[in-house]
Amino acid sequence: MSQPLFRIGIGYDIHTLKAGRRCVLGGVEIPSDVGPDGHSDADVLCHAVADAILGAAGLRDIGFYFPNTDPACKDMNSLDIVRRAVAEVEKTGYCIQNVDAAMIAEKPKVGPHIDAIKASLAKVLGIPENCVGVKATTNEKLDDLGAGLGIAVHAVCLIARK
Ligand code: MG
């Protein structure tokens, strides 16, 4: 049976925000008094994007490839996780067409950094910057995200048969 021409994937991740942690989103360090907490650099945007990519190809999630119990993953640059996801998808005979992501957090303010984040992701994804969407919104002060306790990201990815 021939493989579908196009496939889509969805990714989601959430991290708590901790005072004094670096805030790296899409490989770009954002000036902030809080940052996502986690085993790696906790780049929640990269994690959601990587899962969307892997999901599009029906592969396992990033926890399978990068267990948070693995000392080698400690403080790792999450752009490397995205790179690996891209490589795994390429092996299946598909290539990435576009990625779109929505970040939800009360802080930090990422608006001024969106272009840099898009450029950073596009480079690793191997697609033009205008094929990468990155948006940021607040949770309108609702629930724990609205209280500033964390940052969540939803992402989608479209892949096409080579
Ligand atoms: Mg994560």
Side-chain angles (χ1 to χ4, degrees), residues 116-133:
I117 293 170
K118 286 175 61 169
S120 169
L121 286 174
K123 192 172 166 196
V124 172
L125 294 166
I127 58 178
E129 284 176 35
N130 66 7
C131 292
V132 179

Side-chain angles (χ1 to χ4, degrees), residues 3 73 88 142:
Q3 291 288 308
C73 299
E88 292 297 327
L142 293 167

